[in-house]
Amino acid sequence: MRGKDNLRSAAEVLVDQLRIHGVRHVFCVPGESYLAVLDAFHDSDLTVTVCRQEAGAAIMAEAVGKVTGRPGVCFVTRGPGATNAAHGIHIARQDSTPLVMFVGQVARETREREAFQELDYRAVFGSMAKWATEIDDAARVPEIVSRAFHTAANGRPGPVVVAIPEDMLVERIAVDDAPPFSAIETSPGLDEMQKFAELLAAARAPVAVLGGSRWSQEACDRMARFAERYKLPVCTTFRRGHLFDQTHSCYAGDLGIGPNPKLLERIKSSDLVIVIGGRLGELPSQHYTLFDIPRPQHPFVHVHPGAEELGRVYSPHLAINATPTAFTAALETRKFSRAAAGEAKAANADYRAWTDKPTEQPGAVNFGAVMIWLRENLARDAFLCNGAGNYAAWIHRFFRFRRFAQQVAPASGSMGYGVPAAVAMKRLHPERQVICIAGDGDFLMNGQEFATAVQYDLPFTTIVFDNGMYGTIRMHQEREYPGRISATDLRNPDFAAYARAFGGFGVSVERTEDFPAAFRAAEASGKPAIVRLAIDPEAITPGTTLAKIRARAVAEKK
Ligand SMILES: Cc1ncc(C[n+]2csc(CCOP(=O)(O)OP(=O)(O)O)c2C)c(N)n1
Ligand SMILES: [Mg+2]
């Protein structure tokens, strides 16, 4: 708000810039280091969500960036606030998500004395953020915030950290606002599209691999039309299942952890791999084993919005520096010729055979059957939010994502993501169904944000897969050190009572057949809810048991 003197505090200027750049939501944990910004929120129409821990606030901002393609915004205090928030900054980095985090900083005249909670944010976030900076001069707030938004959102998106000294925030200044930032689409050139057309025409068994960010519903629809027209099998990379309608007849499956062996075979024997949008990091490359480094064994096209990513590990036969949005638009502007061999149909049949029915599992709750019930009963556009743990293998295998951004989960494999992400989705889209799925270990990493859900009356259901252990690590332990259990057992709280203690709804399920009624009761409660599932620890993946993994490891060691 401008005073009679026509001046604004730097904090007011900053909040005005957020509105100009299109921000509607901010997530924060307050701190005395940025009181002036909290005060500027008071008169703004920003929707503020106050969180219980900065990791929660940063993950909420990351989730907003992920589904909207525009920077999610969070505010945290200096020192411990900023280091707590590193959880979300790292996810935004690895997942290529636009995010801007503002950190309250000590007053400028006390800097470099290691003042109370002082940190050098350029150094701390230097290797984690896409850009880390500090605003020294109040008059430069519009310029630096504008650069933060452009940097976070364009090319390969990522997190930007902006430290804001508390004395700078209260300075009163006369300064012009910046114009709104623009999302810059990088389009493929005509020569590149010609070369792409030639590679596609020559290929007998091509496969497309979708990943990364800078997609949209329109881009996904264009990709689906292209696949359909040219009978192209399409798979999605780890936690990017929402980039292709998984009920589409060209869908070939999830190239994540524990993929369908037939999908791996198909990719290995393919004669043209087209990677669109993704980094082809460790998981989609199956720990860098699927393709030869640096030159892949088959013709290889890599389309990525960040020029620095092209040729980073794999030297492609054709590198296209373009956003998936612009690339898929270019696909619609010309005709391609292609010797259709019907492999999309075969690929989809392999996918369906792998995912249509649940596998046999030890224990009275079969999580595969639960996932299949959810895929048949959730709203078509429901958000599914989850973190990391073996429980997620059932999501990737048995759920069927239909719409862009429906899967809100960290490709970086970070635990503790689901609850804050679900809070953010419900804040953004109160009208849409939101589900969180969490492991017992995973849930308690940021489960305190359940209180945030209660505070803002956000009715979403969290399904807790309770197997009494850090299952993923137990699985690795049994593989590498069979029978030597170390630091992977968990003694859990009563998760249903936890929900009730916070003011939500809680129920525990011991048998598969009781799940639908429990889930419906949770949804009908109109409250944030937890449905806890009692899972047999032996049910470690959809395909095997702990005992089998241990027995095989023992036999191999003999
Ligand atoms: C923040 C974070 N800390 C640690 C890990 C390492 N880690 C990966 S999965 C896992 C166990 C997950 O346990 P749980 O949530 O109970 O799921 P489960 O595997 O039992 O299904 C751990 C500790 C991680 N990925 N992220
Ligand atoms: Mg567990």
Side-chain angles (χ1 to χ4, degrees):
M1 201 181 3
R2 286 174 204 270
K4 284 199 197 102
D5 52 4
N6 201 29
L7 301 180
R8 290 175 290 175
S9 73
E12 289 166 338
V13 173
L14 194 157
V15 170
D16 285 347
Q17 305 316 295
L18 298 183
R19 293 302 289 130
I20 288 165
H21 294 307
V23 176
R24 286 198 298 119
H25 287 268
V26 299
F27 302 90
C28 70
V29 176
E32 67 274 32
S33 57
Y34 69 97
L35 274 183
V37 174
L38 295 173
D39 185 65
F41 288 161
H42 192 269
D43 293 328
S44 85
D45 61 354
L46 285 170
T47 304
V48 179
T49 301
V50 61
C51 306
R52 300 304 176 118
Q53 216 262 29
E54 290 81 357
I59 289 172
M60 290 179 204
E62 199 278 345
V64 169
K66 201 169 236 149
V67 305
T68 65
R70 302 173 67 86
V73 174
C74 62
F75 281 80
V76 300
T77 197
R78 54 203 175 190
T83 51
N84 273 349
H87 193 163
I89 299 301
H90 177 257
I91 297 168
R93 168 75 183 212
Q94 288 234 311
D95 287 35
S96 307
T97 305
L99 180 156
V100 178
M101 177 167 90
F102 293 94
V103 183
Q105 171 63 309
V106 301
R108 285 167 294 184
E109 73 266 18
T110 64
R111 264 190 318 216
E112 305 269 350
R113 291 180 180 161
E114 198 179 338
F116 185 61
Q117 300 179 341
E118 182 184 356
L119 280 175
D120 173 352
Y121 300 101
R122 289 190 179 93
V124 170
F125 290 105
S127 66
M128 208 190 302
K130 192 171 172 189
W131 184 42
T133 190
E134 187 159 318
I135 307 183
D136 292 319
D137 180 353
R140 294 185 63 188
V141 167
E143 171 199 337
I144 291 174
V145 174
S146 170
R147 178 172 165 194
F149 275 75
H150 280 96
T151 303
N154 287 322
R156 175 188 167 192
V160 169
V161 176
V162 184
I164 42 177
E166 60 180 70
D167 64 315
M168 185 278 294
L169 291 172
V170 296
E171 265 185 42
R172 296 191 68 78
I173 45 169
V175 66
D176 290 337
D177 292 323
F181 87 98
S182 42
I184 300 156
E185 296 293 340
T186 320
S187 300
L190 288 178
D191 288 355
E192 289 162 333
M193 290 312 286
Q194 179 58 31
K195 181 95 193 288
F196 177 71
E198 286 163 15
L199 286 169
L200 189 65
R204 300 210 51 80
V207 57
V209 180
L210 312 186
S213 56
R214 306 216 59 184
W215 288 85
S216 60
Q217 185 62 55
E218 294 69 32
C220 293
D221 292 344
R222 289 193 288 263
M223 190 66 219
R225 284 196 290 272
F226 179 75
E228 196 162 329
R229 210 171 294 137
Y230 299 103
K231 303 291 174 246
L232 182 69
V234 177
C235 64
T236 48
T237 60
F238 188 55
R239 304 267 158 85
R240 305 290 190 184
H242 59 273
L243 294 179
F244 202 77
D245 179 350
Q246 298 186 338
T247 63
H248 191 285
S249 59
C250 292
Y251 189 56
D254 180 62
L255 183 60
I257 297 175
N260 184 351
K262 292 209 166 153
L263 174 61
L264 289 185
E265 274 317 304
R266 181 169 300 282
I267 296 173
K268 281 183 191 153
S269 61
S270 146
D271 61 355
L272 177 64
V273 176
I274 308 160
V275 178
I276 306 171
R279 285 196 295 119
L280 213 76
E282 183 167 352
L283 296 186
S285 69
Q286 302 294 302
H287 306 286
Y288 304 106
T289 61
L290 209 44
F291 309 108
D292 291 346
I293 297 173
R295 176 47 63 101
Q297 60 277 33
H298 5 52
F300 190 91
V301 178
H302 194 182
V303 181
H304 197 278
E308 71 286 354
E309 207 50 45
L310 296 164
R312 180 179 188 157
V313 181
Y314 299 98
S315 178
H317 298 76
L318 173 62
I320 300 183
N321 182 202
T323 60
T325 309
F327 179 73
T328 52
L331 289 178
E332 299 223 314
T333 61
R334 62 173 297 159
K335 278 208 160 52
F336 295 86
S337 65
R338 161 129 160 68
E343 67 276 14
K345 205 169 164 196
N348 185 247
D350 289 346
Y351 164 69
R352 295 287 305 267
W354 179 248
T355 62
D356 269 355
K357 294 202 176 67
T359 51
E360 294 283 319
Q361 302 265 244
V365 176
N366 182 320
F367 199 46
V370 169
M371 288 315 303
I372 288 170
W373 188 87
L374 289 170
R375 92 181 174 205
E376 287 165 358
N377 288 281
L378 291 188
R380 197 187 152 113
D381 66 349
F383 285 113
L384 242 79
C385 307
N386 66 273
N390 265 31
Y391 70 88
W394 282 266
I395 307 176
H396 296 134
R397 178 142 166 194
F398 296 111
F399 198 74
R400 292 197 177 138
F401 295 100
R402 311 288 303 275
R403 307 222 9 114
F404 170 68
Q406 208 188 340
Q407 180 174 31
V408 192
S412 69
S414 190
M415 293 169 73
Y417 188 88
V419 177
V423 167
M425 290 308 98
K426 204 67 192 170
R427 280 298 258 171
L428 225 57
H429 294 287
E431 74 292 354
R432 279 174 69 175
Q433 190 176 27
V434 177
I435 305 297
C436 167
I437 303 184
D440 47 346
D442 177 43
F443 176 81
L444 277 177
M445 281 211 182
N446 281 312
Q448 73 281 349
E449 301 305 339
F450 195 80
T452 312
V454 171
Q455 177 158 344
Y456 293 99
D457 293 320
L458 307 176
F460 65 82
T461 299
T462 298
I463 297 167
V464 178
F465 176 101
D466 184 359
N467 59 0
M469 60 179 180
Y470 286 126
T472 304
I473 312 307
R474 174 71 59 82
M475 175 183 74
H476 289 296
Q477 213 159 52
E478 295 287 6
R479 247 183 221 150
E480 308 293 330
Y481 305 95
R484 291 173 59 81
I485 296 166
S486 173
T488 49
D489 270 337
L490 295 173
R491 181 167 166 182
N492 283 321
D494 175 339
F495 288 106
Y498 178 106
R500 290 192 288 270
F502 278 63
F505 175 91
V507 59
S508 182
V509 170
E510 314 279 337
R511 301 179 315 166
T512 309
E513 53 271 36
D514 296 334
F515 175 76
F519 183 80
R520 287 208 169 101
E523 295 278 290
S525 75
K527 294 177 178 177
I530 290 180
V531 177
R532 174 259 183 185
L533 304 183
I535 301 291
D536 187 326
E538 274 299 316
I540 193 67
T541 73
T544 191
T545 63
L546 268 186
K548 281 188 191 155
I549 291 174
R550 182 187 293 189
R552 182 192 287 182
V554 169
E556 277 169 7
K557 281 190 194 292
K558 271 187 190 150

